[in-house]
């Protein structure tokens, strides 16, 4: 980083079992003017207390065993340190572990053979709100996103029956054959809320059943990705 | 791993890195060429690595070998005086630096 250039300081906490990795990373990260190491320890039961008061924006973890198995450390860290972005480092090129990390809320995944510069880059990127993953997993991520989008109805800003975006989304999901229970699970709502939405949609569309609702509310030329 | 160890020893005025290799097949040629006082080796499988270190010290008895298994936080230093000897090495920056500076002695477990 050039001298005098404005930079944003990223506070990093290293929670790594590999002592050599920990010590070398502290040395490497401490040389960067835009990175401040606020903690560097191996796992101990008191580590969550340390993390809670650390004000770290990025937490580096190197042990999938600790991170995802048993009581999920990633979830615990996110609970005690809400703004923290977790980066897994020293990872194997293993798709199952990668998806486990993504599901648990990890924002960065750096492989074992990555250079120190790649780790520094991941810290900066994740600290500024981006996500980092190895290029070998890009294809599978794009495929997952495509699948998700294909099963998500498109919504219009202005609907002829005056349906809100959420209401249009619900109509689209009924069109895919989903039940209230499945829609509630998909949208993270209660079943009761889903029913209330449908009552409002029926009123706006002037219909009394789902078939009529789809007929009336779904745009005829609607295409899904 | 290589980069981490380099970061550890790069700033030390009394230590020169005379060679690096990425895999075992290039190792003996690199040792022949650079004649190092010490070799730092990452062991994938710790037990297999012991036999490898014994072989290398048979060929290059002047050399010390720091065999590290950083993911297990352990290591061993091997050297030859009369026979191949070994003792535990702390897998840390200070452990590596003091092992590189240490003079070989007779105090150590005999390598079987």
């Amino acid at each position: 980083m050039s001298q005098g250039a404005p930079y944003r300081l990223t506070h990093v906490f290293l929670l790594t079992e590999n002592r050599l990795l920990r010590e070398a990373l502290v040395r490497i990260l401490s040389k960067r003017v835009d990175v401040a190491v606020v903690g560097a320890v191996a796992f101990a039961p008191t580590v969550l207390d340390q993390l809670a008061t650390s004000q770290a924006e990025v937490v580096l973890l190197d042990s999938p065993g600790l991170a995802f198995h048993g009581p999920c450390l990633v979830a615990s860290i996110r609970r005690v340190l809400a703004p923290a972005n977790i980066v897994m480092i020293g990872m194997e090129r293993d798709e199952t572990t990668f998806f486990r990390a993504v599901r648990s809320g990890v924002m960065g995944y750096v492989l074992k053979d990555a250079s120190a510069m790649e780790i520094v880059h991941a810290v900066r990127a994740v600290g500024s709100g981006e996500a980092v993953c190895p290029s070998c997993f890009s294809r599978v991520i794009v495929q997952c996103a495509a699948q998700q989008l294909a099963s998500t109805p498109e919504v219009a800003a202005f609907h002829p029956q005056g349906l809100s975006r959420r209401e249009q989304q619900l109509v689209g999901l009924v069109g895919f054959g989903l039940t209230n229970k499945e829609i509630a699970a998909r949208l993270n709502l209660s079943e009761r809320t889903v029913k209330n939405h449908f009552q409002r949609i029926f009123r706006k569309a002037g219909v009394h059943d789902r078939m009529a609702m789809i007929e009336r509310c779904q745009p005829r030329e609607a295409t899904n990705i | 791993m290589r980069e981490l160890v380099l970061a550890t020893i790069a700033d030390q005025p009394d230590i020169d890195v005379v060679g690096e290799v990425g895999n075992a097949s290039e190792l003996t040629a690199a040792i022949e060429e650079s004649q190092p006082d010490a070799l730092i080796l990452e062991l994938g499988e710790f037990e297999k690595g012991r036999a490898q270190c014994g072989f290398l010290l048979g060929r290059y008895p002047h050399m010390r070998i720091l065999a590290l298994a950083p993911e297990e936080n352990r290591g061993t230093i091997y050297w030859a005086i009369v026979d191949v000897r070994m003792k535990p090495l702390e897998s840390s920056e200070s452990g590596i630096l003091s092992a590189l500076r240490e003079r070989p002695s007779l105090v150590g477990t005999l390598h079987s």
Side-chain angles (χ1 to χ4, degrees):
Chain A
M1 188 159 287
S2 65
Q3 233 180 3
Y7 60 85
R8 181 185 169 281
L9 190 62
T10 304
H11 299 89
V12 186
F13 195 105
L14 283 84
L15 178 46
T16 56
E17 295 306 291
N18 180 339
R19 182 174 170 182
L20 195 55
L21 175 69
R22 187 168 67 241
E23 291 178 344
L25 279 180
V26 168
R27 178 191 296 276
I28 290 163
L29 290 170
S30 301
K31 285 182 182 165
R32 316 284 152 172
V33 289
D34 57 337
V35 177
V37 178
V38 293
V41 294
F43 179 77
T46 55
V47 80
L48 287 175
D49 298 332
Q50 282 175 266
L51 273 161
T53 55
S54 69
Q55 296 187 319
E57 288 127 14
V58 177
V59 179
L60 298 184
L61 283 180
D62 73 340
S63 167
L66 270 176
F68 314 123
H69 298 142
C72 178
L73 185 59
V74 170
S76 306
I77 294 172
R78 294 179 70 211
R79 203 171 49 245
V80 298
L81 191 60
N85 293 293
I86 297 166
V87 178
M88 298 297 305
I89 54 171
M91 301 303 287
E92 297 290 343
R93 204 176 286 262
D94 166 40
E95 210 173 281
T96 311
T97 313
F98 173 68
F99 277 117
R100 190 170 288 156
V102 170
R103 262 199 302 273
S104 66
V106 162
M107 281 296 151
Y109 192 94
V110 181
L111 295 178
K112 200 176 174 177
D113 53 9
S115 67
M117 265 321 291
E118 285 174 90
I119 298 178
V120 173
H121 164 76
V123 166
R124 285 179 178 146
V126 167
S128 59
E130 294 173 12
V132 173
C133 93
S135 55
C136 60
F137 295 129
S138 303
R139 189 181 176 86
V140 77
I141 288 180
V142 170
Q143 284 169 339
C144 280
Q147 271 175 13
Q148 177 70 25
L149 288 170
S151 60
T152 305
E154 287 184 343
V155 294
F158 300 102
H159 190 271
Q161 272 76 39
L163 301 194
S164 68
R165 284 175 172 272
R166 177 61 107 190
E167 288 163 351
Q168 291 177 59
Q169 207 177 10
L170 264 74
V171 172
L173 291 173
V174 172
F176 289 141
L178 267 63
T179 63
N180 281 1
K181 195 173 178 178
E182 287 164 342
I183 292 170
R186 169 84 68 96
L187 301 180
N188 216 6
L189 300 171
S190 72
E191 243 183 292
R192 179 82 212 148
T193 307
V194 171
K195 278 182 190 165
N196 289 341
H197 275 302
F198 281 127
Q199 278 167 9
R200 250 193 318 275
I201 296 169
F202 286 0
R203 241 189 346 263
K204 284 183 180 176
V207 296
H208 300 286
D209 61 66
R210 290 177 169 233
M211 279 305 289
M213 175 187 75
I214 292 169
E215 187 69 20
R216 175 72 58 89
C217 300
Q218 266 197 333
R220 303 214 173 276
E221 68 280 30
T223 50
N224 292 310
I225 298 164
Chain B
M1 151 75 185
R2 193 157 81 238
E3 201 182 359
L4 297 182
V5 173
L6 281 172
T8 302
I9 59 181
D11 300 335
Q12 305 301 317
D14 56 336
I15 298 170
D16 274 336
V17 179
V18 293
E20 314 173 37
V21 294
N23 61 61
S25 63
E26 303 161 21
L27 187 58
T28 49
I31 294 172
E32 296 282 356
E33 194 188 318
S34 55
Q35 297 290 315
D37 297 313
L39 168 72
I40 302 176
L41 197 65
E42 183 184 13
L43 298 183
E45 289 175 52
F46 204 73
E47 293 310 319
K48 271 190 192 167
R50 291 180 55 170
Q52 203 179 359
C53 295
F55 164 77
L56 285 170
L57 281 178
R59 253 175 114 160
Y60 311 104
H62 67 282
M63 198 170 66
R64 267 164 297 144
I65 302 176
L66 280 61
L68 296 168
E71 285 173 24
E72 297 171 32
N73 280 327
R74 62 174 176 156
T76 306
I77 176 164
Y78 295 90
W79 71 100
I81 292 186
V82 185
D83 207 334
V84 174
R85 292 162 198 276
M86 56 188 269
K87 67 177 181 181
L89 164 67
E90 193 179 81
S91 179
S92 68
E93 291 199 344
S94 57
I96 291 174
L97 292 175
S98 60
L100 286 172
R101 290 175 176 136
E102 203 172 89
R103 293 295 105 207
S105 80
L106 281 166
V107 183
T109 313
L110 287 178
H111 181 263
S112 51

